[in-house]
Amino acid sequence: MSKLFKVCLFASLAFFIGCSDSGKKVTRIDTNSVTDLSGAWNDTDSRLVAEEMINDCLGRPWYDNMIQNKGGVVPTVVIGKVSNKSHEHINIETFIKDMERSLINSGRVDFVANAQERAELRTELASQAGNATADTQKQGGQEIGADLMLTGTITSIIDQEGGDQVVYYQVDLELTDIQSHRKVWIGDKKIKKFISKNGVKL
């Protein structure tokens, strides 16, 4: 078998393999659109739950009471641990970022870095102390202490019969005063999805 023939044969095989995938079609969609293919927790659930729960949190009586107690100064919030106790893998970091975004964009609270982020920032401060010029070094001991910590859990229940399935999610969030350990707000959001052979229904 000549070398030229081999090259032509491999080229032909590559062409036909490529053609076999030509039926695939990719369509870009709005990132804010509601899409449910499998019925699993998705980006829409994360975004809508975060927005709704943060709006509820900031609209409760604790907020005005704390503003009054602090002489008009807005409270400072940090997000603590959010646990996934559901039946499936959920990207908790995405949900936390959605909550952070809602908190910051509300303009009603100050927001500080979480424990992991603070550790990285402190490492940077230590590095600056030994390497940056004196006029550009940032000083330690200047952090803003949070007044409140937001924590939560995501749980789920599955009910299945034959080819039909109902998936129930519950997100529970708590806002706790760091000084007194007093819980100032508890909220929950429930999502129920009916999954059948014909598609997903919320």
Side-chain angles (χ1 to χ4, degrees):
M1 186 180 292
S2 69
K3 185 176 181 181
L4 178 60
F5 180 78
K6 289 180 180 179
V7 171
C8 292
L9 179 61
F10 288 137
S12 299
L13 287 172
F15 173 77
F16 285 116
I17 291 172
C19 289
S20 66
D21 291 333
S22 61
K24 180 186 290 186
K25 181 180 180 181
V26 178
T27 304
R28 293 183 181 271
I29 59 177
D30 186 349
T31 55
N32 290 322
S33 62
V34 178
T35 53
D36 262 299
L37 298 179
S38 66
W41 177 276
N42 58 31
D43 63 306
T44 299
D45 298 318
S46 177
R47 175 174 52 83
L48 295 180
V49 169
E51 291 174 357
E52 183 174 329
M53 295 194 76
I54 294 303
N55 287 337
D56 178 75
C57 175
L58 298 179
R60 296 296 181 174
W62 72 265
Y63 182 83
D64 290 335
N65 293 337
M66 181 163 281
I67 288 286
Q68 185 175 0
N69 292 337
K70 288 172 62 68
V73 178
V74 298
T76 302
V77 177
V78 64
I79 293 184
K81 184 176 182 180
V82 179
S83 302
N84 174 25
K85 297 183 179 180
S86 73
H87 69 284
E88 66 185 65
H89 171 74
I90 292 178
N91 190 331
I92 291 296
E93 289 302 317
T94 300
F95 181 53
I96 289 175
K97 287 301 178 184
D98 284 335
M99 289 194 293
E100 288 181 352
R101 189 178 302 108
S102 295
L103 281 167
I104 293 172
N105 291 344
S106 73
R108 305 190 70 195
V109 298
D110 280 337
F111 193 82
V112 294
N114 62 31
Q116 181 179 345
E117 293 166 335
R118 289 197 302 273
E120 294 179 5
L121 291 167
R122 289 165 184 164
T123 299
E124 172 60 21
L125 278 174
S127 177
Q128 287 190 15
N131 299 286
T133 58
D135 59 324
T136 61
Q137 286 180 14
K138 303 303 179 289
Q139 302 301 312
Q142 304 297 314
E143 298 177 19
I144 297 174
D147 301 301
L148 303 158
M149 176 177 283
L150 185 66
T151 57
T153 59
I154 301 176
T155 56
S156 64
I157 299 173
I158 299 178
D159 186 17
Q160 186 167 355
E161 177 64 31
D164 294 336
Q165 185 180 78
V166 174
V167 181
Y168 170 86
Y169 297 96
Q170 180 163 323
V171 182
D172 294 287
L173 296 178
E174 298 181 353
L175 192 64
T176 305
D177 187 299
I178 293 176
Q179 180 69 46
S180 66
H181 294 187
R182 181 172 60 90
K183 295 180 180 181
V184 301
W185 172 81
I186 297 177
D188 72 302
K189 171 65 178 177
K190 301 175 178 67
I191 300 173
K192 183 179 284 189
K193 300 182 181 184
F194 174 64
I195 306 166
S196 69
K197 294 178 181 179
N198 297 322
V200 178
K201 297 179 181 180
L202 298 179

